[in-house]
Amino acid sequence: MGSIQDIDDMDDMDDATVMYVQPSVSGAAKILVVGPMGVGKTTLIGTVSEIKPLSTEATMSQAGARVDMPVRPTKSTTTVALDFGRITLGGELVLYLFGTPGQQRFLPAWKDLARGALGALALVDTRDLEASFDAIGHLEDLDVPFSVAVNYFPDSVLHSEDDLRSALDLLPHTPLVICDAREHASSVKALISLVSHLIESVTEAT
């Protein structure tokens, strides 16, 4: 990954949907997008993906409501396997994005998706910070490097960075950014913060 340059240059990204990886690409990475149900994982992957994203959303049922954590009344579907998308940064690095199910009952599938992942973007909703503890804990248990992106909602509660880091028990070097999963540029910047963190970690280890 040390050969990847200019990942901050988003001008190389084409808004049009493309089918094949660009000839200039010299590296690829599997990246997880994790977080509790309803935090915006499917939205973020759909927003940034340069290919038609794969989504395994299903209508929520009364049977599932008995075992899943409560969600907001406006949410009627949930991911039951994975979301998948692809994005090219700087024309040289391809990220294959795998969105994990948010429910605890899908944890075995969640762990399978983590195999081979270079890192993870953990989405957080300040309206229910506690719901994100499990996902972040799983990443730590699996030793998957990660950064945190606070997904902004119209009724999000605003907190200082220090308060968020304290509430989420984040290490000082863990990146923490604010993003809007509905906005392309905002979501890409969140992914860039993760990639930059991964590159810095590799550089420090060599």
Side-chain angles (χ1 to χ4, degrees):
M1 290 182 61
S3 64
I4 302 302
Q5 302 292 326
D6 301 325
I7 62 172
D8 291 323
D9 183 6
M10 296 194 305
D11 293 336
D12 290 341
M13 295 195 60
D14 189 351
D15 290 335
T17 300
V18 295
M19 181 68 68
Y20 303 106
V21 173
Q22 300 174 23
S24 59
V25 166
S26 58
K30 177 182 180 180
I31 298 296
L32 299 182
V33 180
V34 308
M37 185 164 53
V39 77
K41 303 181 294 294
T42 301
T43 299
L44 184 141
I45 291 175
T47 297
V48 302
S49 183
E50 61 196 16
I51 60 174
K52 183 178 180 179
L54 168 67
S55 179
T56 58
E57 290 221 315
T59 301
M60 298 175 65
S61 65
Q62 289 299 319
R66 292 197 296 269
V67 294
D68 294 332
M69 293 185 64
V71 295
R72 302 185 183 280
T74 55
K75 185 166 179 60
S76 60
T77 61
T78 184
T79 299
V80 295
L82 60 88
D83 295 310
F84 175 78
R86 188 189 78 203
I87 179 175
T88 304
L89 298 180
E92 295 184 4
L93 175 64
V94 166
L95 302 183
Y96 294 102
L97 306 175
F98 290 79
T100 63
Q103 304 95 312
Q104 281 293 101
R105 59 193 171 103
F106 290 117
L107 182 56
W110 200 98
K111 290 183 176 179
D112 286 338
L113 286 174
R115 293 176 183 171
L118 193 63
L121 182 67
L123 287 183
V124 168
D125 182 351
T126 60
R127 300 172 300 179
D128 188 5
L129 283 176
E130 188 175 349
S132 300
F133 293 171
D134 285 340
I136 292 176
H138 295 331
L139 292 175
E140 292 173 340
D141 291 342
L142 294 169
D143 199 26
V144 176
F146 67 93
S147 66
V148 175
V150 177
N151 190 16
Y152 177 79
F153 293 88
D155 59 341
S156 290
V157 180
L158 298 179
H159 299 282
S160 69
E161 179 176 340
D162 288 342
D163 287 344
L164 286 171
R165 286 187 173 278
S166 177
L168 296 169
D169 195 24
L170 299 180
L171 295 174
H173 66 270
T174 302
L176 175 65
V177 299
I178 308 295
C179 80
D180 186 335
R182 301 167 300 178
E183 296 184 358
H184 183 268
S186 179
S187 298
V188 170
K189 287 180 180 178
L191 290 168
I192 287 176
S193 75
L194 169 62
V195 173
S196 298
H197 173 55
L198 296 175
I199 291 175
E200 289 173 3
S201 298
V202 170
T203 302
E204 292 174 357
T206 56

